[in-house]
Amino acid sequence: MKDAQEDVPQSNSRSSGSEESASSGQGPEVGPPEEAEDRARSPEAAPKKLCGYLRKFGGKGPMRGWKSRWFFYDERKCHLYYSRTAQDANPLDSIDLSAAIFDCKADAEAGTFEIKTPNRVITLKAPTKQVMLYWLQQLQMKRWEFHSGPPAPPTAPDTTPARNGPALHIELEQEEAELKEFLHPVKTPPGLVGAEAALQPVPATALRLQNISLKHLGTEIQNTMHTICGNKHAQGATPGSLVEESPQSGEQPSAPNSSAPGKEPADSPKLVHKSSLPASLPQKTKHQSTTFPFFSEGLVRHRTAQEKVVALEQQVLVLTKELKSQKELVQILYKALEAAQQEKRASSAYLAAAEDKDRLELVRHQVRQIAELGRRVEALEQERESLTHSVSLREQEVKELQQHVQLLMDKNQAKQQVICRLSEKVTQDFTQPLCEPHLRPSSADRDLLSQQERMEHLKDDMEAYRTQNRFLNSEIYQVTKIWRKVAEKEKALLMKCAYLQARNCQVESKYLAGLRRLQEAKASECSELLQQFIQEALQWEAGAASADSVELSPISEYDEYGFLTVPDYEMEDLKLLAKIQALEVRSHHLLELEAVERPLQQRWAALAELSPSTELKQLLRAGVPREHRPRVWRWLIHRRVQHLHTPGHYQELLSHGQACEHPAARQIELDLNRTFPNNKHFMCPTSSFPDKLRRVLLAFSWQNPTIGYCQGLNRLAAIALLVLEEEESAFWCLVAIVENIMPAEYYSKTLMASQVDQRVLQDLLSEKLPRLMAHLGQHHVNLSLITFNWFLVVFADSLISDILLRVWDAFLHEGTKVVFRYALAIFKYNEEAIMQLQDGLEIYQYLRFFTKTICDSRKLMNIAFNDMNPFPMKQLRQLRAAHRERLEAELRELELLKAQYLERKATLDHTRPEGGASEDEGEGDA
């Protein structure tokens, strides 16, 4: 094949016309004669197409071997199509280059290279080494062009935006310049690639049948029949469409017949000169398929009776396949129609149901379907996580391979230096003895020639390995750049997806808020319709719309710590508020994921060893990521209780509790079932968390007998268990909060310190939020009824889990000052909403649940730690001391009044009159 192609001289006029005929991805374009003539006159202006004949290794059994194939690159799909000849209408198959890598081995046959895709490895062979390098470089550039940006459509180049063209051209020029550093660009081999290669004869093979693809036999038959029909039409309509080869080529055109190869048909049409090719191409292309880029040359053949029978059989086969596909299409449409009718019947049954029980059953059926879809979504999520893990493993493999390649490069360079030194030494050793007279010239000459021949072979091998090394370096460089570009695109798409999901959550929350306002307006004329909308809004989830996407559902039923995302309230308006709040939380989380959350996770990942510092304080205030929270909490708790902690102390307390029952055990047992009713870990009958919580509370009751157990300690210990999961760690967390962080007598029987903090909060509210306190005082609202529980359980019952745990992150580090900051921030966050309420009862009802409507954790944190400044600890201590004195004085006065009352009552009991009958005196009467 190499010799046959090298003997063919090239023609600029012929190549330009052929390139224009193959410029489209679907076939030659028909243009005005003037335009075709201009293109023929300026071949350099036309874009060069990547096409040509290569040998492909494949087949099975005795047919296995090298087969000649015509390859053509499609820029729109980044696919490399191949067929048996350039004149075939349909391709045999294609190779997806978007995810392919290229390789050439120095020890393989000359011109052999590989294209490795995720599914298979294709071995190709070019006529020469220059052609191989040209194909490899061009394929690299085409792959980079495809990944750098969307290519312009071949049929409408003017529709490409003007701003994309120059930018892409500059980027491709930069990439080409960077690749030159590894491997110099290879010049276009004349006559072996591009449009000119289509005008050359098909490379001959040892066996004619060996070149036929049995795997794609149907496509081969279609191409054969298409060629027969095209040649018959060409004989009757355009007898001058065949191209005569140049007399300088030394080859005569042939139109062989399959039944008699090598014979000239009797009625062969007259051949025209090659210069008529551009004009004749558009006429023939009207009768050829547009599914594959090809060239218009065909073969003139007789249609024998046998060929007609084969053609008719093939046509029957095609029609049978088409009929079968139509039947399958009818079945699919029938199933779709049946599904639509079933959905219509379900909707009709729902509307026609006379009783609520029937409608409820239909709704339950829909709920079961939603649950099934939810399980499918979870399965897809697990699959996505496994794929993410596999991607990380692939990245590690790539890094290892890069290191291995670097080692090979160093080793190769060292070998080259050794070979060069040995070559110089051998040359010196064999040239020096020639001057000595006692050696025979004949033997010296023979040795010298053999050594020179070996040196030449070694030089050739060195050059081959050097070329392979340079190409592999360029391939690694480009694949790395493509991988980075794909990673950036994926990151941008994920950010866009998060933004769209956040916008969807915001729109849905606005819809629910509108429904709630309509519900509050109590529009009687549309009450039924409004009630229906509310039910649909509470039951509908975005994931029920389609089960194909993993990320469609904006909120899940439970969060990562087991709390219900949308609490199940009894009142419809509270249900709507809970759904709105869940959507808003999801929206804020998605919007802040890339800008705030991900950089925060990176900062925590970089923080290897924990130590007190300003940076750690700022990180704790911003919130600890879930994967780092158990480790950080254990470190914070250990710093609080290291003077109390002794090995085995918790087990001793448990064994002491098993020996005798604590007086508070009954109260602990009652409070276990009331701990976080919206958390699946404490409500599930098979969960181990209630038993762990019981043991932690009993151990603490023996640890601190002065307190024993106080209502509220169960919630503190439950939060510690959810985060730390270990009983002993949760126990020491409870000890740190009660005995170290909170002031003394905070959980005593009198709750002295708790009452003091409520009065301190009133003073701070008057200082920081005077307008709000004046409004509440006008309506006689006592905030202690709401805020007392906040301080007692550190917001455990008030805030959603995401914000609650951020509060605890700072609380375990800084102490009770954080509780005051967040209490003030909560009122500041909802100040305007409270100011709009003008009734005391309405204000109390709003304060019952208004903390659950807080969804923007970043905004609340900024208010707590920025807007509430200055907030010195000295001021807090002074206020606590002042209010403690007042409260103790009030308690002493109360005790004095109590003693006076008891003394007066005892005096009155002694002076009770004798005439009154006691209860005991009448027991014996009938």
Side-chain angles (χ1 to χ4, degrees):
M1 183 183 78
K2 175 180 177 183
D3 298 337
Q5 292 181 346
E6 288 179 348
D7 294 337
V8 181
Q10 307 306 315
S11 173
N12 292 335
S13 61
R14 180 175 59 187
S15 65
S16 62
S18 301
E19 287 179 12
E20 283 301 316
S21 66
S23 62
S24 173
Q26 296 181 346
E29 294 182 0
V30 179
E34 295 82 8
E35 184 180 354
E37 189 175 356
D38 294 339
R39 290 195 299 263
R41 283 197 297 265
S42 59
E44 297 298 331
K48 295 181 179 180
K49 295 298 176 182
L50 183 59
C51 54
Y53 280 104
L54 295 173
R55 291 183 179 271
K56 177 180 177 293
F57 189 80
K60 294 182 179 180
M63 302 298 293
R64 185 172 181 82
W66 295 101
K67 299 182 180 182
S68 177
R69 293 289 181 261
W70 170 259
F71 286 84
F72 189 94
Y73 176 74
D74 186 2
E75 297 181 354
R76 298 170 301 170
K77 300 181 180 179
C78 195
H79 279 212
L80 189 64
Y81 292 91
Y82 61 89
S83 62
R84 190 159 52 90
T85 64
Q87 293 78 29
D88 289 345
N90 299 315
L92 296 177
D93 202 352
S94 65
I95 305 172
D96 185 6
L97 301 181
S98 60
I101 58 174
F102 313 114
D103 188 16
C104 64
K105 294 180 172 58
D107 54 352
E109 295 184 43
T112 304
F113 63 99
E114 293 180 349
I115 301 178
K116 299 180 180 179
T117 67
N119 300 324
R120 54 177 178 161
V121 178
I122 301 94
T123 305
L124 303 176
K125 185 178 180 181
T128 62
K129 180 180 178 181
Q130 181 187 8
V131 177
M132 177 195 73
L133 293 177
Y134 177 81
W135 272 95
L136 288 173
Q137 282 190 341
Q138 291 298 316
L139 290 175
Q140 279 186 333
M141 294 302 300
K142 297 296 183 183
R143 181 184 60 188
W144 175 254
E145 181 180 355
F146 177 77
H147 284 285
S148 296
T155 56
D158 295 335
T159 59
T160 305
R163 58 182 176 86
N164 292 340
L168 179 60
H169 182 66
I170 293 174
E171 188 174 0
L172 292 176
E173 287 183 351
Q174 294 176 353
E175 175 65 18
E176 188 174 0
E178 291 172 351
L179 289 179
K180 287 181 182 178
E181 300 177 0
F182 299 100
L183 191 64
H184 294 287
V186 181
K187 296 182 179 179
T188 305
L192 299 180
V193 293
E196 297 177 357
L199 303 178
Q200 307 301 328
V202 180
T205 53
L207 295 176
R208 187 178 183 88
L209 292 177
Q210 185 180 2
N211 203 36
I212 298 176
S213 176
L214 298 178
K215 182 179 178 181
H216 309 91
L217 187 59
T219 306
E220 290 273 12
I221 296 174
Q222 290 179 6
N223 291 332
T224 302
M225 298 306 300
H226 190 277
T227 304
I228 294 172
C229 296
N231 289 335
K232 182 177 179 181
H233 181 81
Q235 294 174 12
T238 57
S241 61
L242 292 179
V243 180
E244 181 183 3
E245 291 292 340
S246 174
Q248 298 176 2
S249 65
E251 295 181 6
Q252 298 296 329
S254 61
N257 193 307
S258 60
S259 59
K263 293 184 179 181
E264 186 76 9
D267 55 348
S268 176
K270 294 182 179 181
L271 303 179
V272 298
H273 193 265
K274 62 185 179 181
S275 60
S276 63
L277 175 64
S280 62
L281 282 174
Q283 298 177 4
K284 256 196 109 175
T285 54
K286 297 178 182 179
H287 310 285
Q288 295 185 352
S289 174
T290 59
T291 59
F292 178 66
F294 62 97
F295 293 89
S296 59
E297 291 77 15
L299 299 177
V300 181
R301 301 174 56 187
H302 286 292
R303 297 193 62 180
T304 62
Q306 183 179 1
E307 289 178 349
K308 292 180 180 179
V309 171
V310 172
L312 292 175
E313 290 178 353
Q314 180 64 22
Q315 188 175 3
V316 169
L317 181 61
V318 171
L319 292 175
T320 304
K321 291 182 179 179
E322 185 177 359
L323 178 61
K324 184 178 179 181
S325 64
Q326 293 293 334
K327 288 182 179 179
E328 293 177 355
L329 179 60
V330 169
Q331 292 178 358
I332 293 173
L333 293 175
Y334 178 76
K335 290 181 180 179
L337 179 61
E338 185 178 358
Q341 291 177 351
Q342 185 176 0
E343 184 177 358
K344 181 180 179 181
R345 286 195 296 269
S347 301
S348 301
Y350 180 81
L351 295 175
E355 297 181 1
D356 293 340
K357 183 169 67 176
D358 299 334
R359 294 188 178 183
L360 182 61
E361 183 62 29
L362 293 173
V363 169
R364 287 176 178 172
H365 178 66
Q366 295 294 329
V367 170
R368 287 193 293 270
Q369 290 183 348
I370 291 173
E372 179 64 24
L373 292 175
R375 287 191 291 271
R376 292 181 60 185
V377 166
E378 292 179 359
L380 291 174
E381 181 67 25
Q382 294 177 359
E383 183 179 357
R384 185 183 69 82
E385 292 177 356
S386 64
L387 291 176
T388 305
H389 180 66
S390 64
V391 167
S392 63
L393 294 179
R394 291 286 188 271
E395 293 176 356
Q396 295 178 0
E397 292 178 2
V398 168
K399 292 181 180 178
E400 294 175 358
L401 289 175
Q402 289 177 350
Q403 296 176 357
H404 184 62
V405 168
Q406 185 63 34
L407 292 176
L408 290 177
M409 290 172 60
D410 298 339
K411 186 177 180 181
N412 189 18
Q413 186 177 2
K415 287 183 178 179
Q416 290 177 4
Q417 295 176 357
V418 171
I419 290 173
C420 291
R421 287 196 297 268
L422 291 176
S423 300
E424 294 176 357
K425 185 176 181 181
V426 168
T427 304
Q428 294 176 359
D429 292 342
F430 282 96
T431 54
Q432 186 68 26
L434 291 177
C435 301
E436 298 179 4
H438 64 275
L439 291 177
R440 290 182 301 175
S442 59
S443 62
D445 292 340
R446 286 196 298 269
D447 293 341
L448 179 60
L449 290 175
S450 63
Q451 293 297 330
Q452 288 180 349
E453 186 178 357
R454 289 182 59 190
M455 287 175 59
E456 292 297 328
H457 286 303
L458 289 175
K459 289 180 180 179
D460 292 340
D461 293 341
M462 286 174 58
E463 184 63 26
Y465 279 110
R466 187 179 292 110
T467 303
Q468 178 190 7
N469 190 15
R470 290 174 180 173
F471 171 75
L472 291 178
N473 288 339
S474 66
E475 179 70 9
I476 292 171
Y477 170 76
Q478 194 184 74
V479 169
T480 304
K481 288 190 67 175
I482 291 175
W483 175 80
R484 290 175 181 172
K485 201 173 193 67
V486 170
E488 291 175 358
K489 288 182 179 179
E490 182 183 5
K491 182 178 179 181
L493 290 175
L494 289 175
M495 291 179 63
K496 183 178 180 181
C497 180
Y499 174 75
L500 292 177
Q501 286 187 352
R503 294 292 300 169
N504 178 54
C505 292
Q506 291 174 358
V507 170
E508 189 177 354
S509 65
K510 290 179 181 178
Y511 169 70
L512 295 177
L515 287 180
R516 182 171 176 270
R517 285 195 294 269
L518 287 175
Q519 187 182 32
E520 291 176 351
K522 297 180 180 180
S524 58
E525 62 275 6
C526 56
S527 59
E528 295 183 1
L529 181 61
L530 179 61
Q531 188 68 20
Q532 181 181 353
F533 284 162
I534 292 175
Q535 292 295 332
E536 291 177 357
L538 292 175
Q539 295 174 3
W540 181 83
E541 290 291 343
S546 173
D548 298 332
S549 177
V550 180
E551 298 291 340
L552 279 181
S553 180
I555 53 176
S556 58
E557 186 178 1
Y558 294 96
D559 65 4
E560 54 193 7
Y561 289 102
F563 288 97
L564 272 174
T565 310
V566 182
D568 188 13
Y569 295 123
E570 296 180 358
M571 299 176 60
E572 293 292 339
D573 58 344
L574 294 183
K575 289 182 180 181
L576 282 174
L577 283 174
K579 187 70 177 290
I580 292 170
Q581 178 260 348
L583 290 169
E584 290 292 335
V585 169
R586 179 65 173 168
S587 173
H588 287 290
H589 176 72
L590 291 171
L591 290 175
E592 295 175 354
L593 182 62
E594 293 295 333
V596 179
E597 298 296 337
R598 207 174 298 279
L600 186 63
Q601 291 179 357
Q602 294 175 358
R603 291 178 63 187
W604 275 107
L607 195 66
E609 185 177 355
L610 298 175
S611 59
S613 62
T614 305
E615 182 185 5
L616 179 63
K617 181 178 180 181
Q618 296 299 327
L619 287 175
L620 289 170
R621 287 184 173 185
V624 184
R626 183 178 185 273
E627 58 270 21
H628 299 285
R629 184 168 280 137
R631 176 176 66 95
V632 174
W633 279 27
R634 290 190 186 96
W635 180 79
L636 293 172
I637 294 166
H638 178 72
R639 293 183 65 244
R640 297 280 186 179
V641 299
Q642 57 185 347
H643 62 288
L644 300 174
H645 189 278
T646 55
H649 182 63
Y650 177 70
Q651 299 299 330
E652 292 178 3
L653 294 174
L654 288 180
S655 59
H656 185 59
Q658 293 175 356
C660 57
E661 185 178 2
H662 195 277
R666 188 161 178 257
Q667 185 62 39
I668 291 174
E669 201 66 32
L670 291 175
D671 285 351
L672 285 179
N673 297 327
R674 295 182 291 197
T675 303
F676 294 141
N678 290 325
N679 191 289
K680 64 180 181 180
H681 295 300
F682 293 98
M683 289 298 102
C684 181
T686 59
S687 176
S688 61
F689 277 82
D691 294 333
K692 292 181 180 179
L693 181 60
R694 178 188 296 108
R695 289 191 289 268
V696 169
L697 294 176
L698 287 174
F700 180 80
S701 64
W702 289 107
Q703 161 74 16
N704 194 331
T706 59
I707 297 176
Y709 174 76
C710 174
Q711 286 187 349
L713 297 182
N714 59 326
R715 292 169 176 81
L716 298 176
I719 293 293
L721 273 175
L722 289 174
V723 175
L724 301 173
E725 296 183 357
E726 299 176 0
E727 291 182 36
E728 187 171 359
S729 299
F731 165 76
W732 287 113
C733 180
L734 185 60
V735 171
I737 293 173
V738 176
E739 299 185 4
N740 188 281
I741 299 177
M742 289 298 192
E745 300 184 18
Y746 215 86
Y747 298 96
S748 63
K749 294 181 180 181
T750 59
L751 301 175
M752 172 72 73
S754 300
Q755 297 183 54
V756 169
D757 277 357
Q758 294 305 306
R759 300 190 179 192
V760 173
L761 179 63
Q762 296 286 335
D763 291 348
L764 293 174
L765 282 170
S766 300
E767 177 188 348
K768 303 290 184 180
L769 302 172
R771 191 166 63 98
L772 176 64
M773 288 303 293
H775 178 72
L776 295 176
Q778 182 181 357
H779 296 283
H780 307 287
V781 176
N782 184 8
L783 289 181
S784 298
L785 300 176
I786 306 298
T787 60
F788 190 85
N789 189 56
W790 293 2
F791 283 71
L792 201 63
V793 298
V794 195
F795 302 104
D797 289 329
S798 306
L799 298 173
I800 60 173
S801 61
D802 181 62
I803 300 177
L804 171 66
L805 295 174
R806 293 173 189 264
V807 175
W808 276 56
D809 294 336
F811 165 73
L812 292 176
H813 180 61
E814 300 182 47
T816 54
K817 183 170 66 172
V818 173
V819 183
F820 283 99
R821 282 185 175 272
Y822 271 99
L824 295 171
I826 289 171
F827 284 107
K828 179 66 176 177
Y829 190 100
N830 297 274
E831 182 178 11
E832 296 302 326
I834 299 174
M835 293 294 294
Q836 294 177 2
L837 302 176
Q838 300 299 327
D839 182 71
L841 180 59
E842 191 176 2
I843 293 175
Y844 274 117
Q845 291 177 349
Y846 178 74
L847 294 178
R848 282 177 51 213
F849 62 85
F850 82 114
T851 54
K852 293 290 186 179
T853 63
I854 299 175
C855 53
D856 193 346
S857 59
R858 293 295 165 188
K859 178 181 176 181
L860 186 66
M861 182 197 70
N862 289 329
I863 295 174
F865 294 106
N866 296 326
D867 296 353
M868 294 297 110
N869 287 335
F871 200 89
M873 193 63 189
K874 181 179 179 181
Q875 178 189 9
L876 186 60
R877 293 194 190 99
Q878 291 174 354
L879 290 175
R880 277 177 167 171
H883 284 290
R884 187 178 185 88
E885 290 180 2
R886 296 193 190 101
L887 185 58
E888 288 177 350
E890 293 175 2
L891 290 177
R892 286 195 298 269
E893 184 179 355
L894 184 61
E895 290 294 332
L896 181 60
L897 293 174
K898 182 179 178 182
Q900 292 176 357
Y901 169 75
L902 293 176
E903 182 180 356
R904 186 170 62 255
K905 184 179 179 182
T907 304
L908 293 174
D909 288 341
H910 287 297
T911 60
R912 188 175 59 184
E914 297 294 335
S918 65
E919 295 179 357
D920 297 333
E921 293 177 357
E923 287 183 357
D925 300 340

